[in-house]
Amino acid sequence: VLTQSPATLSLSPGERATLSCRASQNVRSHLAWHQQKPGQAPRLLIYGVSTRATGVPARFSGSGSGTDFTLIISSLQSEDFAVYYCQQYSYAPDTFGQGTKLEIK
Amino acid sequence: EVQLVESGGGLVQPGESLRLSCAASGFIFSSSSMNWLRQTPEKGLEWISYISSGSSTKNYADSVKGRFTTSRDNAKNSLYLQMDSLRAEDTAVYFCAREEGKDGYNYVAHWGQGVLVTVSS
């Protein structure tokens, strides 16, 4: 089970966002983050805890290991307000967290 | 550019069947393992099936096992999900997805735009 916190994060453009994902068991480095905007499909942001997918801006960074993981957006842009999901792919079946909604304050 | 385009969704009654298709382009489909996932407001994102590049391995979530069948046609760059005995709880947006990774640890790398399936009388 993946537990994301907070459920909702209200911040202003330019601020730093810190999103958390906690796994109920050790998933080692097999953790990814996805971004989903309203009415759109999710988009892969980060895999292997900290590797950015192609085209993902450097303001997105991931860290952590084992059971505790963090996604940081260093300086929020208007297009970053969305829902973020973590995904573990260490154990079958792959599972996702319930999401953190990042909204404009 | 990787593109995955689902089709075939719609409104069906409980117990009926539906077949989803996913047209793939922008990558070597025949070398890629593929998945189906679905999303609901209540349960969030849920993986439901996997098919290996050559169709030799197929896996299903317990929630759909015995009712859903995944297949592919590598000559047509297409992925399919045959959904039988549909239930109200199968109502969701369905995504096809391409996975990437190494050493057997694969993550969802590309998502289709999704297609809505509604099961209701």
Side-chain angles (χ1 to χ4, degrees), chain A residues 36-48:
Chain A
Q36 187 175 32
K37 298 180 181 179
Q40 296 185 20
R43 166 200 176 198
L44 174 68
L45 291 178
I46 286 175
Y47 61 94

Side-chain angles (χ1 to χ4, degrees), chain A residues 48-62:
Chain A
V49 176
S50 59
T51 303
R52 285 187 298 275
T54 303
V56 175
R59 62 180 181 273
F60 290 90
S61 63

